């Protein structure tokens, strides 16, 4: 059974940093492309980052709104993917989901339960 | 960025009814479209990918169709467990983008 478990969320002040962790099991993590998707309080979904596998040099992509502030990374030995979030803004307030990439394209075939991040002073 | 427009934003239907949700892309996405179901308090779950392929374990009353810029999700014989929000997503071109969602309720 595929499992994705996100941790590390919480309340943080604007300008501060937070690191999310997604621990996975039940599939071959080392060859999987992984994503982070967030859902704002008004329920809108936004893809924010992707990391490819070792054979693709762990290439990363980001949505424009988080470029230069967020960093996606992975540790294949721990079957985990991370999201380092710096210079947080109030508009980053959302539930953050870790997802796997589909076999036929960048859709999201398995999702974690999500972790809440609130950016507020 | 490719804009995804879903309609309607909300929908009320009766048990056993057939429901259709539409999704329009701002440009041709060549069937690079997925549909998700999100029940209250839960994470989204994949229903359909490649516009019309059913994800593993998804009931056959769900189906997807369309091409070019126009796509639809159909739910045959609506069940109580189908009460949820539904989202479309294009993955033809970076950045991957979602529609605004359709909230489906029982009449």
């Amino acid at each position: 059974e595929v499992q994705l478990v996100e941790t590390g969320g919480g309340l943080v002040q604007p300008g501060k940093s937070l690191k999310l962790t997604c621990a996975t099991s039940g599939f071959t993590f080392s060859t999987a492309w992984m994503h982070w998707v967030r859902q704002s309080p008004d329920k809108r979904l936004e893809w924010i980052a992707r990391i490819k596998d070792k054979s693709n040099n762990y290439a990363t992509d980001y949505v424009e709104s988080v470029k230069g502030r967020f960093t996606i990374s992975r540790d294949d030995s721990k079957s985990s993917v991370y999201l380092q979030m710096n210079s947080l803004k109030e508009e980053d307030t959302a539930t953050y989901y870790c997802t796997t990439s589909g076999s036929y394209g960048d859709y999201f075939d398995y999702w974690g339960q999500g972790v809440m991040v609130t950016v507020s002073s | 960025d490719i804009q995804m427009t879903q309609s309607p934003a909300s929908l009320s239907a009766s048990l056993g009814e057939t429901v259709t949700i539409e999704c329009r892309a701002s440009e041709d996405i060549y069937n690079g479209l997925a549909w998700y179901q999100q029940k209250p308090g839960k994470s989204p779950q994949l229903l359909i990918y490649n516009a019309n392929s059913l994800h593993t374990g998804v009931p056959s009353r769900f189906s997807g169709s369309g091409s070019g810029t126009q796509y639809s999700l159909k739910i045959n014989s609506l069940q109580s467990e189908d009460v949820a929000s539904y989202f479309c997503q294009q993955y033809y071109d970076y950045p991957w983008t979602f529609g605004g969602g359709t909230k489906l309720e029982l009449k």
Side-chain angles (χ1 to χ4, degrees), chain A residues 39 43, chain B residues 6 9 21 36-40 44-45 47 73 82-87 100-105:
Chain A
Q39 186 168 38
K43 301 304 182 185
Chain B
Q6 260 183 262
I21 298 169
Y36 302 88
Q37 176 192 66
Q38 185 177 32
K39 297 183 179 181
Q45 301 295 310
L47 295 174
L73 172 71
D82 301 333
V83 170
S85 291
Y86 293 83
F87 297 88
T102 296
K103 189 172 184 179
L104 174 59
E105 299 174 325

Side-chain angles (χ1 to χ4, degrees), chain B residues 15-93:
Chain B
L15 291 175
E17 198 173 325
T18 294
V19 168
T20 300
I21 298 169
E22 306 283 347
C23 185
R24 176 171 51 85
S26 59
E27 60 185 84
D28 195 330
I29 56 172
Y30 299 94
N31 281 17
L33 184 99
W35 289 97
Y36 302 88
Q37 176 192 66
Q38 185 177 32
K39 297 183 179 181
K42 301 293 187 181
S43 56
Q45 301 295 310
L46 178 67
L47 295 174
I48 302 280
Y49 61 95
N50 291 353
N52 57 23
S53 297
L54 208 61
H55 183 50
T56 305
V58 175
S60 58
R61 64 179 180 274
F62 292 91
S63 63
S65 64
S67 63
T69 62
Q70 300 275 8
Y71 298 87
S72 60
L73 172 71
K74 187 164 77 170
I75 310 173
N76 286 317
S77 190
L78 188 70
Q79 305 295 303
S80 58
E81 60 263 34
D82 301 333
V83 170
S85 291
Y86 293 83
F87 297 88
C88 62
Q89 176 236 337
Q90 68 81 20
Y91 52 94
Y92 169 70
D93 195 23

Side-chain angles (χ1 to χ4, degrees), chain A residues 2-50:
Chain A
V2 173
Q3 290 197 324
L4 307 166
V5 179
E6 303 96 335
T7 56
L11 173 63
V12 62
Q13 293 179 328
K16 300 295 188 181
S17 299
L18 205 59
K19 185 174 185 177
L20 306 182
T21 296
C22 173
T24 77
S25 61
F27 64 101
T28 306
F29 181 83
S30 61
T31 58
W33 294 10
M34 300 297 296
H35 300 259
W36 287 93
V37 175
R38 66 185 178 185
Q39 186 168 38
S40 55
D42 64 358
K43 301 304 182 185
R44 297 196 75 87
L45 289 163
E46 180 181 38
W47 167 82
I48 54 173
R50 175 186 69 183

Side-chain angles (χ1 to χ4, degrees), chain A residues 2 5 7 11 13 25 33 36 39 47 54-55 58 62-63 78 88 93-94 98 102 105 107 117:
Chain A
V2 173
V5 179
T7 56
L11 173 63
Q13 293 179 328
S25 61
W33 294 10
W36 287 93
Q39 186 168 38
W47 167 82
K54 183 177 182 180
S55 69
Y58 300 121
Y62 301 91
V63 72
K78 295 182 179 179
L88 281 160
T93 294
C98 164
Y107 52 91
V117 172

